[in-house]
Amino acid sequence: MPLDAWSLLKASLEGDESGTSILSIDKTTKKFEFILRNKLFDTLEFGFDLNSFLTKKIENSDYSRELIYKTDGTILESHFGKFTVPEESKNKEYTKFCIKDITAKQRQEEDIAWRLRFEIGVASSIQILIQQPSIREGLPHALYQLLYFTEMDSIFYLKYEPIESQTRFQIWVNERKSTKYPLLPKECQNSDWYELGLSRWVHKLKKEKTIHLTKERALAREKWFFDQTQAETLLLIPVLFENQFLGVMGFLKYKPNSPIKQENLLIYQTVSRWMGLFVQRDLDLTEINRYKSTLESLVLERTLDLTKTKEELERAYRAKTEFLAHMSHELRTPLNSIIGFSKLIQIPDSDNTGKEYLNYIYTGGTRLLNMINEILGLMKIESGQIKIQLTTFKPEDLCRQTLELIQPQANAKGMDIRFKPPSQSKNLISDSGKIQQILLNLLSNAIKYSNQAYIEFDCHWDTDNLTISVRDFGPGISEEDQNRIFHTFTRLNDDGNIEGTGLGLSISQGLAVRLGGHIELTSQIGQGSNFKLKLPELIK
């Protein structure tokens, strides 16, 4: 190509809103060099190893879009584009490589998603506490549910229990997302906080002030707490009821350089309000039971107040549930239209920006629609609105149909699914669609979490009961985590690399129970997991 043509091309690149470059690639050695690049590209490339990134992409012939997270927190989106040069060498090819700063857009989407998840977490926690007769029974489960809707790694509740002149707290809840981090030190419950060097924290909490503290900003006498918990960030929120100090709700973050945003801090503080209400309710009930023989009038008055409060909370939850279900229906119709029309829109090949924006619309709409469908499915199960359609079929035929649907996901990870049909062929009278939904979820989880080359998929009859098992050879699940694996919105040791909402197993267990069966789990650390779907031959 003549030199003047290259100069014109270089001048045109300066008008791009993305950092744009032209690469020359040797087809044999996969070596590359920059032919042209605009000024914006030179600005954006700092902060990450560009050469290593491009070398890996080109050697693997991977020209897909990818996000790049720079050390300064900037998020770039990268993509390649075809670039034809007249009379180019047969041993060389040219491509356009672009990087674009999408930090603001990505952060905005993350903030919106976080707030939505947090509100759902609060509603789920309140529902659990309403259904329990005592807060001591429901609080661990409720706060564990809330934890998984936040960016925090640990949550705890310390009940204020002063003894004479000592300031002490009793640990009611101590939950973590991952068991690799330690629990709260025993000193937090067994010792006076003034003697532990935490007097500054006590003074602020009793004055209704929130403590947001990092390890590096802690006083010397307070650093032992961060050393023993291995935490980098601490958040303590006072729990009050009618200006009475009842305890402390706390959160820990273990990742360094991961501060809590100021606007999120205000949202965390709102949680302590309903915590104070439930803790006070528990205290009131204890007091009533202790003195009910001599204080009948007080019992009646308190009971009426508590009943009224409970009814108000139940009405609030029902209203929220109805609103969320209604909005889920209302959102699905326009979302389906958006997704459908985004596939029909024809954009010229030269309009890369238009194609990029259209892809944002399609992928974002699809992701949101899947989340809405899962939440709506969970609501139907909890409200008993799931309708069962009975048909007669052979389970091995349904298993083979399910294998055809899940095979692309297994192929993408290079895994083999070894299916073993039952030794005897019998008909099953049940809802084949619901069973297939359960099996797709179990197989999908096995593929995502397994690190071996295959998984086992078995089907066999045990008298009048059918068992379909999905066994993987992944990292396995600890006994502690097995007790909560079927809870809603539960994801174990979530590092952000695997997509999902944590609803799949909860929905699958609900469907299995509705079909007259259940799902069992057996697992050992380092030896994988085995999920067994057990169903009766005929629903009673």
Side-chain angles (χ1 to χ4, degrees):
M1 177 178 287
L3 182 59
D4 58 337
W6 282 107
S7 300
L8 290 173
L9 176 60
K10 181 177 181 180
S12 69
L13 295 183
E14 295 300 336
D16 288 358
E17 62 179 14
S18 300
T20 307
S21 63
I22 306 297
L23 300 179
S24 171
I25 303 173
D26 189 300
K27 296 181 180 179
T28 303
T29 64
K30 296 293 185 179
K31 301 294 184 181
F32 68 90
E33 62 176 333
F34 288 97
I35 303 300
L36 292 175
R37 49 204 286 170
N38 61 12
K39 293 180 181 179
L40 182 56
F41 188 94
D42 293 335
T43 302
L44 294 176
E45 73 164 317
F46 292 106
F48 74 102
D49 191 346
L50 176 63
N51 287 332
S52 297
F53 175 80
L54 288 173
T55 299
K56 183 178 179 182
K57 297 283 281 187
I58 293 172
E59 286 180 352
N60 296 327
S61 297
D62 178 11
Y63 298 105
S64 61
R65 292 178 181 269
E66 186 170 336
L67 295 183
I68 300 171
Y69 295 85
K70 296 172 63 175
T71 54
D72 63 358
T74 302
I75 304 174
L76 303 179
E77 183 183 53
S78 68
H79 70 275
F80 292 82
K82 291 184 178 180
F83 188 80
T84 304
V85 177
E87 302 178 0
E88 63 179 319
S89 170
K90 294 183 179 179
N91 195 42
K92 284 191 175 182
E93 60 180 349
Y94 295 84
T95 182
K96 179 187 286 188
F97 175 69
C98 302
I99 49 180
K100 184 177 181 180
D101 189 342
I102 61 168
T103 306
K105 176 179 177 296
Q106 193 78 3
R107 294 284 186 261
Q108 185 179 25
E109 290 180 353
E110 291 174 357
D111 288 344
I112 294 173
W114 184 89
R115 290 174 185 273
L116 176 60
R117 290 172 57 241
F118 193 91
E119 289 180 5
I120 296 175
V122 171
S124 177
S125 301
I126 291 177
Q127 180 191 14
I128 293 170
L129 293 176
I130 290 174
Q131 294 174 346
Q132 295 292 337
S134 170
I135 191 173
R136 292 297 299 273
E137 298 176 11
L139 191 60
H141 184 196
L143 293 189
Y144 178 80
Q145 289 286 327
L146 177 65
L147 174 63
Y148 269 83
F149 287 93
T150 72
E151 77 262 43
M152 298 301 189
D153 300 309
S154 174
I155 190 171
F156 53 88
Y157 177 70
L158 306 177
K159 177 66 177 63
Y160 181 49
E161 296 285 354
I163 300 177
E164 297 179 351
S165 61
Q166 295 185 343
T167 300
R168 294 197 178 194
F169 294 88
Q170 185 177 1
I171 300 176
W172 277 18
V173 178
N174 192 4
E175 295 286 348
R176 304 155 292 170
K177 284 183 179 177
S178 173
T179 55
K180 67 180 181 180
Y181 294 108
L183 294 168
L184 284 177
K186 293 181 179 179
E187 292 88 340
C188 291
Q189 175 169 283
N190 299 329
S191 303
D192 184 349
W193 277 38
Y194 281 86
E195 296 178 357
L196 294 174
L198 306 180
S199 57
R200 182 171 71 122
W201 297 2
V202 175
H203 284 305
K204 286 189 174 182
L205 291 168
K206 287 185 176 181
K207 291 181 179 179
E208 305 181 17
K209 294 182 179 180
T210 297
I211 297 174
H212 177 208
L213 189 63
T214 58
K215 182 178 180 179
E216 62 181 14
R217 294 176 56 192
L219 300 179
R221 65 176 183 268
E222 300 166 348
K223 288 189 180 295
W224 69 268
F225 180 89
F226 291 91
D227 293 336
Q228 291 196 29
T229 59
Q230 301 179 20
E232 292 290 335
T233 304
L234 167 69
L235 177 61
L236 297 178
I237 307 172
V239 175
L240 308 126
F241 183 80
E242 295 182 352
N243 298 323
Q244 180 184 358
F245 181 63
L246 300 179
V248 180
M249 174 180 284
F251 297 89
L252 297 176
K253 292 186 73 171
Y254 302 117
K255 296 179 181 178
N257 302 321
S258 181
I260 305 171
K261 296 180 180 179
Q262 185 63 31
E263 57 269 25
N264 291 351
L265 186 62
L266 298 175
I267 298 176
Y268 281 111
Q269 292 172 345
T270 62
V271 179
S272 66
R273 299 173 185 172
W274 58 260
M275 271 293 298
L277 175 64
F278 280 104
V279 173
Q280 183 62 36
R281 186 189 72 170
D282 189 74
L283 295 175
D284 290 342
L285 287 173
T286 302
E287 191 74 11
I288 289 172
N289 291 331
R290 185 180 302 172
Y291 297 107
K292 65 180 180 179
S293 60
T294 56
L295 304 173
E296 292 182 357
S297 60
L298 180 60
V299 168
L300 179 61
E301 179 182 353
R302 280 292 189 179
T303 302
L304 290 175
D305 290 340
L306 291 170
T307 301
K308 182 180 178 181
T309 301
K310 181 174 181 292
E311 290 174 351
E312 290 175 354
L313 289 171
E314 289 174 338
R315 283 197 297 270
Y317 174 74
R318 284 197 299 268
K320 187 176 183 68
T321 301
E322 292 171 1
F323 170 78
L324 197 54
H326 176 72
M327 289 305 298
S328 297
H329 283 293
E330 293 296 321
L331 287 171
R332 285 200 300 178
T333 299
L335 271 177
N336 281 319
S337 299
I338 292 171
I339 295 170
F341 281 115
S342 67
K343 298 298 290 183
L344 296 176
I345 295 175
Q346 299 294 325
I347 294 181
D349 293 338
S350 60
D351 189 359
N352 292 328
T353 302
K355 288 184 177 181
E356 177 184 358
Y357 290 165
L358 188 60
N359 184 60
Y360 283 150
I361 294 172
Y362 177 78
T363 56
T366 303
R367 187 177 304 169
L368 183 57
L369 182 60
N370 290 338
M371 180 183 293
I372 291 172
N373 286 336
E374 285 190 335
I375 294 175
L376 193 58
L378 179 64
M379 288 181 177
K380 287 183 178 179
I381 292 174
E382 293 180 345
S383 61
Q385 297 179 6
I386 291 293
K387 296 181 179 179
I388 301 300
Q389 298 179 349
L390 297 180
T391 57
T392 302
F393 57 95
K394 294 186 181 300
E396 59 267 30
D397 294 338
L398 179 63
C399 290
R400 292 189 178 97
Q401 294 173 9
T402 306
L403 278 176
E404 293 178 2
L405 296 175
I406 203 68
Q407 196 64 50
Q409 182 180 345
N411 293 340
K413 198 173 179 181
M415 296 183 65
D416 182 29
I417 302 178
R418 300 180 179 179
F419 174 56
K420 182 180 179 181
S423 56
Q424 61 176 137
S425 181
K426 293 175 58 178
N427 287 331
L428 178 69
I429 302 177
S430 189
D431 190 325
S432 60
K434 302 295 186 298
I435 296 175
Q436 187 172 79
Q437 182 179 348
I438 297 171
L439 296 180
L440 285 172
N441 179 263
L442 297 180
L443 288 168
S444 177
N445 284 345
I447 294 170
K448 286 191 291 187
Y449 290 99
S450 180
N451 50 19
Q452 297 296 323
Y454 68 95
I455 59 177
E456 294 179 351
F457 186 30
D458 296 341
C459 178
H460 66 271
W461 286 96
D462 184 10
T463 313
D464 294 333
N465 295 310
L466 175 70
T467 300
I468 304 176
S469 65
V470 176
R471 182 182 182 186
D472 67 70
F473 300 89
I477 303 171
S478 66
E479 291 187 9
E480 178 183 353
D481 290 336
Q482 288 180 39
N483 295 328
R484 54 190 177 87
I485 189 70
F486 294 101
H487 294 166
T488 54
F489 303 103
T490 296
R491 301 183 67 197
L492 305 181
N493 296 329
D494 185 8
D495 58 4
N497 293 326
I498 298 179
E499 295 185 354
T501 59
L503 289 173
L505 285 177
S506 176
I507 292 175
S508 297
Q509 185 70 280
L511 292 175
V513 172
R514 187 67 180 84
L515 295 173
H518 63 280
I519 300 175
E520 293 181 355
L521 166 61
T522 56
S523 180
Q524 291 185 4
I525 297 296
Q527 298 184 20
S529 305
N530 191 4
F531 287 84
K532 295 182 180 180
L533 171 62
K534 296 193 174 185
L535 297 169
E537 183 178 0
L538 173 64
I539 298 178
K540 297 180 181 180

